Amino acid sequence: MPYFVWQDSYTVGHPTLDYDHQRLGQIINRLDDAVHFQHGDTEISAILSALRHYVESHFAREERLLEAAGYHHCTTHSVSHRRIEQTLEDFENLHRSSPDNLDAKALLAFLQRWLINHILKDDMDYRPMMECYLASRPAMTDHPGRL
């Protein structure tokens, strides 16, 4: 069973951002598989790197969309993004320098909790504005919104 399971209640009102969130969940599930099946430090390192890079590109995309939609808490939202990016970089650096000191189960619990809380709290705050923004624009999604 996957560690992170997408639920329709996680939808934030923009198909591309929903796709990104699902993709992040898939990467977390890959990390869970690597830990559970003991794929080794090289695989875990590659997944941590992929996760950090995808988070960075997702946050940049989300911030551009929030700015375009006129979201009134862009700065606060961006600050929370920078904290997560730093935390992920710290985990990645810890794993790179001392893999045995990384508690992978604690990392997975953190990632799952972060992703769900970020979506259900921080991102849901912009959902009404994003839905209005999308309704006022021609179709412009690059993803179907569901994997």
Side-chain angles (χ1 to χ4, degrees):
M1 173 157 197
Y3 192 78
F4 176 83
V5 178
W6 177 261
Q7 298 177 27
D8 288 339
S9 63
Y10 300 159
T11 300
V12 297
H14 194 288
T16 300
L17 299 179
D18 289 336
Y19 176 89
D20 281 355
H21 292 152
Q22 291 170 58
R23 188 76 189 97
L24 289 168
Q26 286 181 334
I27 297 170
I28 292 169
N29 287 339
R30 279 184 49 216
L31 180 60
D32 179 55
D33 285 347
V35 169
H36 182 76
F37 296 111
Q38 301 176 346
H39 289 180
D41 293 331
T42 302
E43 177 72 11
I44 290 173
S45 182
I47 294 168
L48 288 173
S49 178
L51 176 65
R52 185 174 54 81
H53 289 292
Y54 200 86
V55 163
E56 289 171 356
S57 65
H58 163 66
F59 285 168
R61 189 168 24 259
E62 184 176 84
E63 289 168 16
R64 281 192 308 272
L65 285 166
L66 293 177
E67 187 77 30
Y71 181 59
H72 52 283
H73 295 299
C74 281
T75 302
T76 304
H77 204 83
S78 294
V79 167
S80 74
H81 286 170
R82 300 298 81 77
R83 280 194 299 260
I84 292 298
E85 288 172 344
Q86 184 61 56
T87 300
L88 291 176
E89 185 176 338
D90 291 346
F91 277 125
E92 188 179 9
N93 288 338
L94 174 61
H95 185 265
R96 188 179 306 119
S97 66
S98 184
D100 292 337
N101 288 336
L102 179 69
D103 182 345
K105 290 184 184 203
L107 171 60
L108 283 163
F110 164 79
L111 290 170
Q112 182 185 45
R113 196 171 46 253
W114 159 71
L115 185 56
I116 291 170
N117 286 336
H118 183 73
I119 292 170
L120 291 178
K121 292 181 181 163
D122 298 338
D123 290 355
M124 283 302 161
D125 187 57
Y126 68 66
R127 182 180 177 162
M129 180 171 282
M130 190 59 68
E131 289 172 340
C132 288
Y133 173 71
L134 278 180
S136 71
R137 309 202 32 97
M140 54 180 228
T141 61
D142 21 340
H143 299 290
R146 183 136 181 125
L147 294 176

